[in-house]
Amino acid sequence: MMVEITRNNFEEKYPEIEGRLRSAVFVAVDTEFTGLLSDPAFKPSLFDTGSERYGKLRRSTEHFLIMQVGITAFRFIEDKNKYKASKYTFYVFPRSFASIDNIFMCQSSSLEFLCQNHFDFNKFVYDGVPYLNQKEEAHLRKELSKGSLFHQLDRTVDLDDEKSIQLVCSRVAKWAASAVQGDTLDLNNLDICQGDIRLSYVMHKELRQRFPDIWSFPEGGLIRVKKISHMQRKALEENEEQHKTLEETVMHSLLGFSRLFKLLTELKKPIVGHNILLDLMIMYNQFHEQLPTRLNDFKEEIHRLFPVIYDTKFLSFQMRKILIKEDMWNSNILSHLYCFFKEGRGRYLVLYSPIIELEDGAEICNPKETASNVSEQSQDLNVKFHEAGWDSYCTGYCFIRMAHIFAHVTCGSLVFGRILTSREHLLGVSSKKNCVNVIRANISHMCLDGPDPPSDRPNWLHVQAKGFRTIDVSKVAELFARYGSVDVKPFTRFRALVAVGNHGSAKDIVRQFQKHKELRVSYYHPLWHSSVFQTFLGTGAVVSCGMCAYFLYRQFSNIQTPSARSVP
Amino acid sequence: MMVEITRNNFEEKYPEIEGRLRSAVFVAVDTEFTGLLSDPAFKPSLFDTGSERYGKLRRSTEHFLIMQVGITAFRFIEDKNKYKASKYTFYVFPRSFASIDNIFMCQSSSLEFLCQNHFDFNKFVYDGVPYLNQKEEAHLRKELSKGSLFHQLDRTVDLDDEKSIQLVCSRVAKWAASAVQGDTLDLNNLDICQGDIRLSYVMHKELRQRFPDIWSFPEGGLIRVKKISHMQRKALEENEEQHKTLEETVMHSLLGFSRLFKLLTELKKPIVGHNILLDLMIMYNQFHEQLPTRLNDFKEEIHRLFPVIYDTKFLSFQMRKILIKEDMWNSNILSHLYCFFKEGRGRYLVLYSPIIELEDGAEICNPKETASNVSEQSQDLNVKFHEAGWDSYCTGYCFIRMAHIFAHVTCGSLVFGRILTSREHLLGVSSKKNCVNVIRANISHMCLDGPDPPSDRPNWLHVQAKGFRTIDVSKVAELFARYGSVDVKPFTRFRALVAVGNHGSAKDIVRQFQKHKELRVSYYHPLWHSSVFQTFLGTGAVVSCGMCAYFLYRQFSNIQTPSARSVP
């Protein structure tokens, strides 16, 4: 059974979800969103530092929205060596209310991608749980305290809503005619207002205004109408004046998913995600506050909100380093990783790897027992990937498997041959906490609780077109691409800089292009290749100096090759 | 039966739709879109000139999208005095393809509004008909002629698509093993590629590349594979090289709804809409080209595309002028107008008003025959409003009823007491062609085929806070609002200008505020109220000159009141 949370069951499910989160060892998350700017200006490049990448991501996501959040809480049952997973898929939608009316962007290809994964856009718009970021919350609270909210909303009530209000009022009038003080009438809020917070608010206000001898109470899913005395009414009005109980109820509903986000930040449980940086940033922007301009400010605040974060993509790269080749998976894509740990060798690498079960066990059955054809089974699973709840579950699944292996590596004989505790699992990966993967950049990962690590990419390459011809950057990129991933940027009219993904590729390129007839390739040296120095060489007697420089240069680069590793 | 057009039936239905449009007397249109910027900067105001309003609308719509287009073609059957209506609701979605990847905006309140009208967002994203504007078309044709399209697309093929391609290839391999030259194998394109134009294109390319003794032909909904000789293959390859048949087929599919839009511009049939300006602008932007900056350029081009345009909202305001009060409708909202003409007095105002029937007659039955309770019937109808096809039908319906009445007014005894021709109907409204309604502006309507009409709004009011107090613009707006619609803008720190909706309200305000203790109100006079003149008054001896000016002013404004009508 898949638990989808919409505005129709959010309030009802909230206590259960809260309980599951409170008893969790860690919480895995995943999000699906409406798009990502793909301009060349925002494209990830091997030149990017942490700050640059953060800036690109911030600007390319700020107007897009998360439509679906997957949250899976994993609790540990020690005597059974078992993790129980409670998986929830939340649809969230920025409900308009009073002066709050969100405008957001969508990207065709992103929506089409979600179509391939059977995303339900109607559920997003019709049933998405509301939320407010802190700025919106503060703004609404201010409007609310001014008391002008009702007048504002009253003007936006349409014909259908007007009819609903009339209907309810005449029902109450009929009841009130024969009711005595203390009698109550319960109206089903969900039936009448169909989850429309605005309508529910106007309904309360209208009832209180029209009937001086009743009071309306928001009671969970009910509007409870009570016949009262003049004195009681006066007291209730004064109380309302002071405490704005009705307005608080409205705020509570409108905060919706933000309350859950806030709960997560209060619980301080470890948060686990796969390639989690983007999810973190976009959640921060949507449910907390606008992303700060500077990376360090973001790090500080995200660390305050979530002191312990794990990225399974980062962990998987770390694990590659300790596994022998036959025990390795093919790619770090979540679905491949999950299949490796679920069905492949990954599960049996180390003894006593815990059992992992979804709370409603029926969903995931043991492939060994039910299906003879493993690849068919994977195909079935494939269908569910990119459903946020499922992805968060798989992420948590891989996290446990990897933590179990890491625990054995770090603790060695201390843990060998016995069942581990969840504390030992977390201890096993604790040296990797707050390291999040960064794709195709100057750094391989970012540290959320401190400065970023030094780059371990090879030094940049410097490429010059021979004979003072204008350099063709895309041609260089094409020529070099066969040796591995590269990014090329123009340096001057005749020269370009190349960032190369790994040391092997860089070495290959330098070696292969040693005698190339059009290009001169070497490791980049900031001083030697500075434009002042080059201009000096260039403006003198071109040929002789050029030749002279060429030889000097060759020699220099030969010396430099084996040792130049640090990135300027 | 409601005819919804999606990418699954667009090609199949196209010939029928084209036929209906060709035989139409006029075509009614309506659109539903993803939002509208509501910043104060874009809010319609009574100060707005035509150019200013165009600018506001242009900037507030440019990033939003039409999701649904309603088109109803009305043809006339003279001997039966009957209009037959063919109503179509198109879902359109900007499919991504190669480097084309649209990013668009959505507004929460707009999507919520569409929810109230049961809009199907899944149909929009999953099944929307593709389209390209002229710039995108040119761009794709260029990419296509370079021949790099396949390589680009090949890289974006995902795992599922890869599987489909493998499956088809092994099916073809099996068939090819035993087939002889001239044999054909028909593959159902819709089954295999599920309307994915990109996949279909890659499939053709892949088949031709893998099998040197076959050729693939795009034949409607089929991929027809034919076994051929070496010579034939060579000829086909050369032909493809020259004519890019496959690429043309792809372009044809991608153009989708734009082809229909182009057809409409070629047919030059009168286009009818209700409050059509926004629909025209957003269609222009989405299916034709980016909206020009200047209003006059827009007018010129839209007039070239659609030489005859009618706005039923404009017509309804004109009609109010000739009807006696009891024959009038309550509001100019489309649904009210439709009910007035369908069920109310509107239908029987003039004899021989034509019968109007939907092509699939079952849908709209005569309320007199089937339902005893008229208001219930309207309630049912209400549910369908804001479905673009239905709205376009209602717009056309009202157009015919009004044209029939106008024909009697303009032609008088010439047409009295007999059935009219459709030409006479159009003749009846011809003096109102290309006039489109403009809400809450300095002008009541815009002329698409010439300069805008002079304003018939009252002269602006000039308001000054007495005793040199800072003027509170929103307080002024609140005070004046009870007399009718007003817009207030600050003029200087102490003064404000007010645009008033109608002459009666303006007169009332000036009269009522003659002795107001805080505000001095008069009709605005550009020279008298110019800041130079006022500065001169203000900077001299404040009290005496102020007093003197005050009396002068009072006198002046009294003289000016009855005659000042033209807007500066």
Side-chain angles (χ1 to χ4, degrees):
Chain A
M1 194 199 67
M2 182 158 68
V3 186
E4 283 188 343
I5 309 291
T6 65
R7 63 170 169 168
N8 303 320
N9 64 354
F10 180 74
E11 297 299 345
E12 173 203 329
K13 282 277 184 184
Y14 191 91
E16 174 200 313
I17 300 168
E18 180 174 350
R20 295 287 159 88
L21 290 175
R22 284 192 187 281
S23 60
V25 174
F26 69 92
V27 179
V29 297
D30 184 62
T31 64
E32 298 296 334
F33 36 88
T34 58
L36 200 63
L37 285 186
S38 49
D39 302 29
F42 303 125
K43 241 178 96 180
S45 127
L46 290 162
F47 287 103
D48 292 348
T49 63
S51 279
E52 282 166 347
R53 176 58 53 84
Y54 172 76
K56 282 183 179 180
L57 287 176
R58 185 176 62 79
R59 280 172 293 142
S60 65
T61 57
E62 61 184 342
H63 298 299
F64 292 99
L65 277 195
I66 293 173
M67 297 187 282
Q68 204 183 50
V69 187
I71 292 183
T72 305
F74 289 85
R75 65 195 169 92
F76 191 55
I77 304 165
E78 200 166 336
D79 58 350
K80 292 189 177 162
N81 190 26
K82 184 191 281 183
Y83 279 93
K84 275 263 191 189
S86 306
K87 167 173 91 67
Y88 303 96
T89 301
F90 299 85
Y91 285 87
V92 290
F93 183 81
R95 302 262 147 243
S96 73
F97 190 88
S99 63
I100 304 277
D101 190 2
N102 221 302
I103 287 172
F104 58 94
M105 298 209 289
C106 294
Q107 185 182 31
S108 288
S109 57
S110 297
L111 301 190
E112 286 166 338
F113 172 76
L114 288 170
C115 284
Q116 284 174 22
N117 304 300
H118 315 287
F119 188 88
D120 190 335
F121 296 96
N122 282 335
K123 241 175 211 165
F124 161 59
V125 185
Y126 280 83
D127 302 327
V129 181
Y131 60 85
L132 297 172
N133 64 26
Q134 295 195 343
K135 198 176 156 195
E136 290 166 332
E137 182 183 348
H139 178 79
L140 261 188
R141 285 198 188 277
K142 208 172 139 196
E143 277 194 328
L144 187 149
S145 71
K146 281 193 303 186
S148 57
L149 209 54
F150 176 53
H151 290 293
Q152 258 186 60
L153 290 172
D154 202 24
R155 263 177 288 166
T156 66
V157 166
D158 70 8
L159 271 177
D160 285 349
D161 292 349
E162 193 58 56
K163 267 181 217 154
S164 306
I165 294 172
Q166 293 303 344
L167 232 67
V168 167
C169 284
S170 58
R171 215 178 125 193
V172 170
K174 229 181 235 168
W175 166 82
S178 61
V180 295
Q181 271 177 33
D183 280 6
T184 58
L185 172 70
D186 283 351
L187 303 165
N188 189 327
N189 194 6
L190 211 65
D191 274 2
I192 297 167
C193 303
Q194 276 153 14
D196 185 337
I197 299 164
R198 195 179 41 92
L199 180 57
S200 162
Y201 177 71
V202 173
M203 190 77 80
H204 274 283
K205 283 284 195 183
E206 188 73 23
L207 284 171
R208 292 175 184 183
Q209 202 163 295
R210 283 213 207 170
F211 302 97
D213 55 350
I214 67 122
W215 193 251
S216 71
F217 300 87
E219 296 274 343
L222 297 174
I223 298 177
R224 175 162 292 165
V225 182
K226 189 175 182 182
K227 187 130 179 181
I228 51 170
S229 71
H230 183 68
M231 289 285 285
Q232 284 171 315
R233 167 87 189 203
K234 220 174 147 187
L236 282 162
E237 271 172 9
E238 269 164 23
N239 185 53
E240 180 67 35
E241 190 63 39
Q242 268 176 32
H243 302 293
K244 305 262 179 207
T245 327
L246 184 57
E247 272 81 2
E248 277 306 320
T249 313
V250 167
M251 278 307 293
H252 189 79
S253 303
L254 284 173
L255 281 168
F257 187 82
S258 320
R259 274 155 45 212
L260 203 79
F261 184 81
K262 211 167 172 198
L263 176 66
L264 271 180
T265 67
E266 283 162 5
L267 294 177
K268 309 283 180 217
K269 304 274 177 180
I271 301 291
V272 178
H274 191 73
N275 216 353
I276 199 179
L277 179 58
L278 201 56
D279 297 280
L280 283 178
M281 286 178 67
I282 200 162
M283 281 199 295
Y284 185 109
N285 201 40
Q286 190 160 335
F287 306 125
H288 184 58
E289 56 187 31
Q290 205 183 356
L291 283 166
T293 321
R294 285 160 18 101
L295 172 60
N296 281 345
D297 296 338
F298 169 71
K299 281 186 180 180
E300 210 168 277
E301 182 68 1
I302 201 83
H303 187 56
R304 193 183 67 78
L305 297 175
F306 303 114
V308 184
I309 291 172
Y310 289 103
D311 185 340
T312 46
K313 188 139 186 180
F314 174 76
L315 293 182
S316 73
F317 279 117
Q318 296 300 306
M319 179 146 283
R320 279 184 106 117
K321 295 181 183 169
I322 57 171
L323 289 184
I324 53 168
K325 215 173 174 189
E326 297 89 85
D327 290 336
M328 213 99 94
W329 49 86
N330 295 322
S331 92
N332 297 57
I333 292 174
L334 179 62
S335 55
H336 294 179
L337 218 54
Y338 175 73
C339 286
F340 173 79
F341 284 116
K342 175 79 185 170
E343 303 168 358
R345 294 182 51 82
R347 185 157 185 183
Y348 308 104
L349 282 172
V350 179
L351 281 173
Y352 297 113
S353 197
I355 298 159
I356 305 171
E357 257 182 20
L358 269 169
E359 203 67 48
D360 314 280
E363 189 180 16
I364 311 296
C365 36
N366 191 329
K368 302 270 165 349
E369 286 164 26
T370 55
S372 56
N373 188 331
V374 173
S375 80
E376 247 178 47
Q377 175 76 7
S378 335
Q379 220 169 358
D380 287 349
L381 291 177
N382 240 323
V383 175
K384 281 196 266 177
F385 279 101
H386 297 289
E387 188 262 339
W390 175 251
D391 278 11
S392 69
Y393 167 73
C394 294
T395 301
Y397 187 100
C398 295
F399 177 72
I400 294 167
R401 293 273 172 262
M402 287 194 284
H404 187 72
I405 298 170
F406 276 122
H408 277 80
V409 174
T410 39
C411 307
S413 59
L414 278 172
V415 299
F416 195 73
R418 66 168 173 89
I419 289 171
L420 305 191
T421 64
S422 61
R423 249 190 101 244
E424 285 170 322
H425 283 143
L426 290 181
L427 215 62
V429 286
S430 68
S431 67
K432 289 150 195 84
K433 81 175 167 210
N434 295 323
C435 295
V436 297
N437 186 60
V438 179
I439 55 162
R440 204 188 178 97
N442 178 247
I443 49 172
S444 64
H445 66 280
M446 217 179 249
C447 295
L448 296 177
D449 53 1
D452 288 335
S455 171
D456 58 357
R457 302 274 186 211
N459 204 346
W460 296 344
L461 301 184
H462 176 270
V463 184
Q464 183 157 12
K466 290 183 180 175
F468 289 94
R469 260 175 300 195
T470 305
I471 199 153
D472 181 342
V473 170
S474 44
K475 204 180 154 192
V476 172
E478 214 170 276
L479 276 170
F480 287 9
R482 77 188 69 162
Y483 301 97
S485 58
V486 296
D487 280 308
V488 185
K489 68 176 179 189
F491 187 40
T492 68
R493 201 176 137 199
F494 310 108
R495 304 185 285 151
L497 291 178
V498 184
V500 185
N502 66 65
H503 294 281
S505 308
K507 257 189 225 167
D508 287 350
I509 292 172
V510 172
R511 197 181 309 119
Q512 291 297 324
F513 281 79
Q514 236 166 12
K515 288 174 181 166
H516 196 268
K517 60 183 192 297
E518 286 175 11
L519 298 176
R520 195 172 294 154
V521 181
S522 66
Y523 282 97
Y524 171 70
H525 191 284
L527 175 65
W528 178 257
H529 291 127
S530 76
S531 55
V532 178
F533 197 63
Q534 289 278 319
T535 307
F536 167 71
L537 288 178
T539 50
V542 176
V543 183
S544 60
C545 267
M547 286 304 284
C548 163
Y550 178 67
F551 286 115
L552 252 170
Y553 182 68
R554 280 293 306 280
Q555 227 172 331
F556 186 81
S557 65
N558 281 340
I559 298 165
Q560 199 193 19
T561 308
S563 61
R565 281 293 174 268
S566 72
V567 165
Chain B
M1 194 199 68
M2 182 158 68
V3 185
E4 283 188 342
I5 308 291
T6 64
R7 63 170 170 169
N8 303 320
N9 65 353
F10 180 73
E11 297 299 344
E12 174 203 328
K13 281 278 185 184
Y14 192 91
E16 175 200 311
I17 301 168
E18 180 173 351
R20 295 286 158 87
L21 290 175
R22 285 192 186 280
S23 60
V25 175
F26 70 93
V27 178
V29 298
D30 184 62
T31 65
E32 298 296 335
F33 38 87
T34 57
L36 200 63
L37 286 186
S38 48
D39 301 29
F42 303 125
K43 237 178 98 181
S45 127
L46 290 161
F47 286 103
D48 293 346
T49 63
S51 279
E52 284 166 346
R53 175 58 52 84
Y54 171 77
K56 281 183 179 179
L57 288 176
R58 185 176 62 80
R59 280 172 294 143
S60 65
T61 58
E62 61 185 341
H63 298 299
F64 292 100
L65 275 195
I66 293 173
M67 296 187 283
Q68 203 184 50
V69 187
I71 293 184
T72 306
F74 290 84
R75 65 194 167 92
F76 191 56
I77 304 166
E78 200 168 335
D79 57 351
K80 292 188 176 162
N81 190 28
K82 182 192 282 182
Y83 278 92
K84 276 264 193 187
S86 306
K87 169 172 92 67
Y88 302 96
T89 300
F90 299 85
Y91 285 87
V92 291
F93 183 81
R95 301 262 147 243
S96 73
F97 190 87
S99 62
I100 304 277
D101 189 2
N102 222 304
I103 286 173
F104 58 94
M105 297 208 292
C106 294
Q107 185 183 30
S108 288
S109 58
S110 297
L111 301 191
E112 286 166 338
F113 172 77
L114 289 169
C115 285
Q116 285 174 21
N117 304 298
H118 314 287
F119 188 87
D120 189 335
F121 296 96
N122 282 335
K123 242 177 210 163
F124 161 59
V125 185
Y126 280 83
D127 302 328
V129 181
Y131 61 85
L132 298 171
N133 65 27
Q134 295 195 343
K135 197 175 156 193
E136 291 167 329
E137 181 184 348
H139 178 79
L140 261 190
R141 284 196 189 280
K142 208 172 138 195
E143 277 195 327
L144 185 151
S145 72
K146 282 193 300 187
S148 57
L149 211 53
F150 176 53
H151 290 293
Q152 259 187 57
L153 290 173
D154 203 22
R155 263 177 288 166
T156 65
V157 165
D158 69 9
L159 271 177
D160 285 348
D161 291 349
E162 193 59 56
K163 267 181 216 154
S164 305
I165 293 171
Q166 294 303 347
L167 232 68
V168 167
C169 283
S170 58
R171 215 177 127 194
V172 169
K174 229 179 237 171
W175 165 83
S178 61
V180 296
Q181 269 178 35
D183 280 5
T184 59
L185 171 71
D186 283 351
L187 303 164
N188 189 328
N189 193 6
L190 212 64
D191 275 3
I192 299 167
C193 303
Q194 277 154 11
D196 185 337
I197 299 165
R198 196 179 41 93
L199 179 57
S200 163
Y201 177 72
V202 174
M203 189 77 80
H204 275 283
K205 284 284 196 184
E206 189 73 22
L207 284 171
R208 292 174 184 183
Q209 203 162 292
R210 284 214 205 167
F211 303 96
D213 55 349
I214 66 119
W215 194 250
S216 71
F217 301 87
E219 294 274 342
L222 298 173
I223 297 176
R224 175 163 293 164
V225 182
K226 191 175 180 181
K227 186 128 180 183
I228 51 171
S229 71
H230 183 68
M231 288 285 285
Q232 284 171 316
R233 166 86 189 203
K234 219 174 147 186
L236 281 162
E237 272 172 7
E238 270 164 22
N239 184 54
E240 180 67 35
E241 190 64 38
Q242 269 178 30
H243 302 293
K244 306 264 181 204
T245 328
L246 184 58
E247 272 82 0
E248 277 306 319
T249 313
V250 167
M251 278 307 294
H252 188 79
S253 303
L254 284 173
L255 280 168
F257 188 81
S258 321
R259 274 153 46 212
L260 203 79
F261 184 81
K262 211 168 173 197
L263 177 66
L264 270 180
T265 67
E266 284 162 5
L267 294 177
K268 309 286 179 211
K269 304 275 177 180
I271 301 292
V272 178
H274 192 73
N275 216 354
I276 198 177
L277 180 58
L278 200 56
D279 298 280
L280 284 177
M281 286 177 68
I282 200 163
M283 282 199 293
Y284 185 109
N285 201 41
Q286 190 160 335
F287 306 124
H288 184 56
E289 57 188 30
Q290 205 184 355
L291 282 167
T293 321
R294 285 163 15 102
L295 171 60
N296 281 345
D297 296 338
F298 169 70
K299 282 187 178 181
E300 211 168 276
E301 183 67 1
I302 201 83
H303 187 56
R304 193 183 68 77
L305 297 176
F306 303 114
V308 184
I309 290 171
Y310 289 103
D311 185 340
T312 46
K313 186 136 188 184
F314 174 77
L315 292 181
S316 74
F317 279 118
Q318 295 301 304
M319 180 147 283
R320 279 185 106 116
K321 294 181 184 169
I322 57 170
L323 289 184
I324 52 168
K325 214 169 175 193
E326 298 88 84
D327 290 337
M328 214 97 96
W329 48 86
N330 296 323
S331 94
N332 298 57
I333 292 174
L334 180 61
S335 55
H336 294 177
L337 218 54
Y338 176 72
C339 287
F340 174 78
F341 283 117
K342 175 78 185 170
E343 303 167 0
R345 295 183 51 82
R347 184 158 186 184
Y348 308 104
L349 283 172
V350 178
L351 282 174
Y352 295 114
S353 198
I355 299 157
I356 305 171
E357 260 181 22
L358 269 170
E359 203 68 49
D360 313 282
E363 189 180 12
I364 311 296
C365 36
N366 191 328
K368 300 271 157 4
E369 285 163 26
T370 55
S372 55
N373 188 331
V374 173
S375 79
E376 247 178 48
Q377 175 75 9
S378 333
Q379 222 170 354
D380 288 349
L381 290 175
N382 242 323
V383 174
K384 281 195 266 178
F385 279 100
H386 298 289
E387 188 263 340
W390 174 251
D391 278 10
S392 70
Y393 168 73
C394 293
T395 302
Y397 187 100
C398 295
F399 177 71
I400 295 168
R401 293 273 173 263
M402 288 193 282
H404 188 71
I405 298 170
F406 277 121
H408 278 80
V409 174
T410 37
C411 306
S413 59
L414 278 171
V415 299
F416 196 73
R418 66 169 174 86
I419 289 169
L420 305 192
T421 64
S422 61
R423 251 192 97 244
E424 284 169 324
H425 283 142
L426 290 181
L427 215 64
V429 286
S430 68
S431 67
K432 289 149 194 84
K433 83 176 166 209
N434 296 323
C435 294
V436 297
N437 186 62
V438 180
I439 55 162
R440 202 186 180 96
N442 179 249
I443 49 170
S444 64
H445 65 281
M446 218 179 248
C447 296
L448 296 176
D449 53 0
D452 288 336
S455 169
D456 58 358
R457 302 274 186 212
N459 203 346
W460 295 344
L461 301 183
H462 176 271
V463 185
Q464 184 156 12
K466 291 182 180 177
F468 289 92
R469 260 175 300 197
T470 302
I471 199 154
D472 181 344
V473 171
S474 44
K475 200 179 157 196
V476 171
E478 213 171 277
L479 277 172
F480 287 10
R482 77 188 69 159
Y483 301 96
S485 57
V486 296
D487 280 309
V488 185
K489 68 176 178 188
F491 187 38
T492 69
R493 200 177 137 199
F494 310 109
R495 305 185 285 151
L497 290 179
V498 184
V500 186
N502 67 66
H503 294 283
S505 310
K507 257 189 226 168
D508 287 350
I509 293 172
V510 172
R511 198 182 307 121
Q512 292 295 325
F513 281 79
Q514 235 166 11
K515 289 174 181 161
H516 195 270
K517 60 184 192 300
E518 285 174 12
L519 298 176
R520 195 172 295 153
V521 180
S522 66
Y523 282 97
Y524 171 70
H525 190 285
L527 175 64
W528 176 257
H529 292 125
S530 77
S531 56
V532 178
F533 196 63
Q534 290 275 323
T535 308
F536 167 72
L537 288 178
T539 51
V542 175
V543 183
S544 61
C545 268
M547 286 306 282
C548 162
Y550 177 67
F551 287 116
L552 252 171
Y553 182 68
R554 280 293 307 278
Q555 225 172 335
F556 187 81
S557 66
N558 281 340
I559 296 166
Q560 200 193 20
T561 308
S563 61
R565 282 293 173 268
S566 73
V567 166

